[in-house]
Amino acid sequence: MVRTMTESGRIPQFGYKDEVDMNKLVELRSLLKTRLSEGGVAFSYMPVLIKAVSLALVHHPVLNSTVDPDCTTITYRADHNVGVAMDTPLGLIVPNVKRVQEKSVYEIAVELNRLQSLGAAGQLPPVDTADGTFSLSNIGAIGGTYANPMLLPPSVAIGAFGRVKVVPRFDSEGDLERGHVMHVSWAADHRVIDGAEVARFSNRWKNYVENPASMILDMK
Ligand code: COA
C-alpha cells in the first residue's frame, strides 16, 4: 500500500463525478436477489455495475490500459480484469474478477462471492490480486456519497461508488416521486487519458446502469 499509493500520488489524476438514477437497478436486483439466494449466491449491485464497466470499456479501451512507470509505453489490455477494493480484517485488498468481458452477470456474482469469502478469511491468494486492469471501490457499502479514489498503478482508471440513497425527485410531469440515487467518482491518469474520454466512458456506463435491460443487447 505504501509503495502503490506513493506512486499513485505522483500521477496527475483527472477526477469526474456524476449522479446515477438507480431506480431500475434497485427493482431488478430485488427480483433477482431472492432467486440467487436460493442457490446460496449473494447478489448485490456490484455484479451489474462491474458488467456495465466492461461493456463500456469495449468502446473506451484506453481506460483498460496500463502504463509503465516512466509513462513511455501504454499497453492496451484485451482482458477486463476488474479489481474490487475490499475492506478485510487484513486491511484494504483489491482482488480482481478476471475476464469480465466473457462472464455473465451471474458468473460475476459467483466470483465476487468467492473473492469476498476468501477476503473475509484473510486467504486471498496472490493470483486473485494480480493483473488487475481497472478498479472499483464500493465505499458506499460502508457509507458516503462522494470519494476521491486513487489510481492503482499501472492501471489508469478507477471508480468509486457512494451509497444508494432514497431521495425526492421530480418526474416528467413535475410531480414529486421517490428516487434511488448513487454517485460515482472516477479518477483517471491524466497523462494518457483526456477528461472528455472519461466523461464519454462514464456516460456510456451510466446509461447501462440506469437502463439495465439495455445491457442484454450488448452482452455476448
Ligand atoms: N449503497 C447501498 N447499499 C449497498 C451499497 C451501496 N453502495 N453497497 C452494498 N450495499 C448493500 C448490498 O446491496 C447488500 O445489501 P443486502 O444485505 O440487502 O443484500 C449489503 O449492502 C452488503 O453488501 P456487500 O456484502 O458489501 O456486497 P457488495 O458486493 O455491495 O460489496 C465489497 C462488496 C467487497 C466491495 C464491500 O463489502 C466492501 O468491502 N466495500 C468497501 C470498499 C472499500 O473499503 N473501499 C475503500 C478503498 S480505499
Side-chain angles (χ1 to χ4, degrees):
M1 279 295 285
V2 170
R3 254 198 325 270
T4 311
M5 289 300 105
T6 306
E7 194 185 331
S8 177
R10 294 197 191 104
I11 298 171
Q13 308 192 8
F14 174 80
Y16 181 87
K17 298 176 173 60
D18 203 356
E19 180 181 282
V20 186
D21 177 343
M22 294 285 282
N23 282 346
K24 289 182 184 150
L25 183 51
V26 167
E27 196 182 335
L28 178 70
R29 179 190 170 238
S30 71
L31 287 175
L32 298 176
K33 190 183 150 177
T34 317
R35 175 125 179 254
L36 266 65
S37 69
E38 285 161 9
V41 178
F43 188 62
S44 66
Y45 303 110
M46 285 302 278
V48 179
L49 301 177
I50 292 171
K51 189 66 190 181
V53 161
S54 173
L55 293 175
L57 285 175
V58 170
H59 299 272
H60 304 278
V62 69
L63 275 89
N64 193 54
S65 65
T66 51
V67 284
D68 62 343
D70 59 0
C71 203
T72 53
T73 307
I74 179 162
T75 307
Y76 281 64
R77 307 291 303 272
D79 285 337
H80 300 165
N81 297 340
V82 179
V84 178
M86 287 188 180
D87 178 37
T88 77
L90 296 179
L92 172 67
I93 303 186
V94 192
N96 59 77
V97 180
K98 300 222 164 29
R99 293 182 292 284
V100 172
Q101 79 278 8
E102 294 170 359
K103 288 188 164 67
S104 67
V105 170
Y106 173 75
E107 288 168 330
I108 296 168
V110 170
E111 177 63 356
L112 203 54
N113 279 212
R114 183 184 74 82
L115 295 173
Q116 235 177 316
S117 303
L118 287 173
Q123 289 175 349
L124 275 167
V127 68
D128 283 324
T129 52
D131 217 21
T133 62
F134 191 98
S135 326
L136 293 173
S137 170
N138 180 19
I139 194 68
I142 301 169
T145 306
Y146 311 99
N148 283 326
M150 301 270 293
L151 288 176
L152 282 181
S155 65
V156 295
I158 183 170
F161 306 131
R163 190 149 190 84
V164 179
K165 290 179 177 154
V166 180
V167 294
R169 278 288 180 270
F170 291 108
D171 66 14
S172 52
E173 307 295 311
D175 295 324
L176 264 184
E177 63 176 11
R178 206 166 172 269
H180 292 86
V181 163
M182 183 186 79
H183 288 82
V184 60
S185 308
W186 305 105
D189 187 332
H190 215 347
R191 299 170 303 175
V192 293
I193 299 175
D194 295 334
E197 186 67 2
V198 179
R200 287 191 199 100
F201 163 81
S202 180
N203 286 343
R204 196 179 289 270
W205 171 83
K206 172 174 153 148
N207 197 40
Y208 284 126
V209 175
E210 294 189 338
N211 305 285
S214 72
M215 290 170 68
I216 60 171
L217 297 174
D218 296 330
M219 284 188 199
K220 301 219 165 72

